[in-house]
Amino acid sequence: MNTDTKNNLLRTLLFTPANHERRVTKALGLDADAVILDLEDAVANSEKVSARQDAIAAIKSGSRSKIYVRVNALDTQWTLGDLQAVVGTGLYGVVLPKVQGPEDIETIDWLLATLERERGLKIGSIDLLPIIETAKGFTNLNKIFIDHRYRSSNEYQRVKRFTFGAGDFCNDVGMLWTSNERELDVVRNACIVTARAANLEAPIDTVWIHLKDHEGLEKSVVRSLNLGFQGRLCIHPDQVGITNQVFTPTADEVLRAQKIVDSFFEAEKKGLAAIQVDGMFVDYPILYRAQKTLAIHQAISANSR
């Protein structure tokens, strides 16, 4: 598992249509941890080819943002052309929609490695973020992420995390996507457990489609945090601040985590591994959670400089 929290911190990944220059410029100027230039659902079929040039321009803009491109799904006529257009210096990663099985990732991994080699990039340097958003993909979670390893060699790990897309998933299975999202529990829980079993980073949760309901967004993001997700996909600039805030430890949480770590290490010197801190039982699992909170805080602080 990649534990370089500073480089891999992804609380917010903001989608923007690649062919809408004003939205792209705004997205790249926000505090999202990553921006996803969309060549798939947000771009009409008639604009798919020309939108690649817009994505290239954004990638070459010199933005400090981590830039991903969501290419079109493998069962379309555009995937290869998308990759050939955008792979190059400045591209942080590729988002692959509608992943159905391990063969999908094998194909994209091979294509990316080939393009990296041809273009003088380090093999494995471009991140691959798969989206699970079909019944088949969900059913194959274990095959995709646990039973199969995506390394062309031991030198890189292309897939470090994955994400879930509720819109397409609900359409695929005929499920009604309600505002309380209880119907998504089984999928979200499976994503968390699968990621851990596969020794991947915590997954990224789906979008919130009720753009004016900021209170609902906050509740949904808190739920994602509590379930164990590391971040959320965002589809509107207004969602970035709320989501970042929820996934950022508060000052009180940081102080408490530091107190737990300090107190535990003092007790450990005396041969104790189970103590109380302000009336709370603390053992190694609680210590590890506190250390994770401090690591996230340090990564956010470092990335904001």
Side-chain angles (χ1 to χ4, degrees):
M1 177 176 168
N2 193 320
T3 56
D4 187 351
T5 307
K6 178 179 177 180
N7 291 329
N8 295 314
L9 184 68
L10 293 175
R11 299 165 298 169
T12 45
L13 297 91
L14 176 61
F15 279 105
T16 185
N19 61 339
H20 198 299
E21 183 179 1
R22 182 180 62 82
R23 292 184 185 178
V24 169
T25 300
K26 182 172 183 178
L28 293 176
L30 296 174
D31 290 329
D33 291 326
V35 171
I36 302 174
L37 305 174
D38 196 9
L39 295 177
E40 194 211 15
D41 286 347
V43 177
N45 289 351
S46 59
E47 299 290 321
K48 297 248 185 224
V49 174
S50 61
R52 295 169 183 162
Q53 297 305 311
D54 299 314
I56 293 170
I59 293 167
K60 294 181 176 179
S61 67
S63 170
R64 294 179 60 189
S65 299
K66 292 183 177 74
I67 296 179
Y68 285 82
V69 171
R70 178 164 70 170
V71 299
N72 287 279
L74 268 171
D75 61 355
T76 71
Q77 64 195 30
W78 297 290
T79 319
L80 178 58
D82 290 345
L83 291 171
Q84 289 174 322
V86 303
V87 169
T89 302
L91 178 67
Y92 186 85
V94 167
V95 177
L96 181 62
K98 300 178 178 67
V99 171
Q100 306 268 45
E103 62 279 358
D104 292 351
I105 298 180
E106 286 180 344
T107 300
I108 296 298
D109 179 37
W110 182 84
L111 287 170
L112 286 173
T114 300
L115 291 168
E116 286 166 337
R117 188 177 299 108
E118 288 180 352
R119 297 173 186 187
L121 302 175
K122 181 180 178 182
I123 306 301
S125 60
I126 295 175
D127 190 58
L128 180 58
L129 180 63
I131 310 181
I132 300 299
E133 48 190 338
T134 66
K136 186 175 181 180
F138 173 64
T139 302
N140 285 335
L141 271 174
N142 284 1
K143 290 181 181 179
I144 297 169
F145 297 113
I146 298 177
D147 300 338
H148 194 79
R149 307 302 293 175
Y150 308 106
R151 289 187 178 90
S152 296
S153 71
N154 291 326
E155 297 177 0
Y156 71 88
Q157 182 176 353
R158 182 81 70 187
V159 176
K160 302 176 185 68
R161 65 195 77 77
F162 63 92
T163 186
F164 163 54
D168 281 298
F169 179 82
C170 288
N171 286 338
D172 189 41
V173 302
M175 180 183 291
L176 178 63
W177 188 5
T178 66
S179 58
N180 67 30
E181 302 183 317
R182 294 294 179 185
E183 62 280 354
L184 303 181
D185 284 354
V186 62
V187 184
R188 283 174 158 152
N189 291 337
C191 287
I192 292 295
V193 173
T194 299
R196 182 67 194 101
N199 204 28
L200 296 172
E201 293 180 16
I204 309 294
D205 204 358
T206 190
V207 302
W208 174 257
I209 59 173
H210 308 285
L211 300 183
K212 301 296 184 181
D213 185 3
H214 294 167
E215 181 180 350
L217 168 65
E218 184 173 0
K219 290 179 180 178
S220 179
V221 176
V222 167
R223 195 168 181 196
S224 299
L225 174 69
N226 291 341
L227 282 172
F229 287 91
Q230 70 163 291
R232 289 287 293 249
L233 300 174
C234 299
I235 53 175
H236 192 280
D238 290 348
Q239 297 178 339
V240 172
I242 295 171
T243 305
N244 275 343
Q245 182 178 17
V246 171
F247 279 99
T248 300
T250 66
D252 286 344
E253 288 170 338
V254 172
L255 288 173
R256 178 164 181 76
Q258 189 64 63
K259 186 174 184 179
I260 288 172
V261 170
D262 293 342
S263 299
F264 193 90
F265 285 160
E266 273 301 312
E268 199 175 39
K269 293 176 184 177
K270 302 172 185 177
L272 299 175
I275 63 172
Q276 288 189 40
V277 177
D278 296 334
M280 178 181 177
F281 175 78
V282 175
D283 59 359
Y284 280 109
I286 306 301
L287 169 68
Y288 299 150
R289 181 68 187 181
Q291 290 175 319
K292 182 178 180 181
T293 297
L294 294 177
I296 292 171
H297 169 70
Q298 290 165 5
I300 295 169
S301 299
N303 288 348
S304 64
R305 290 171 188 161

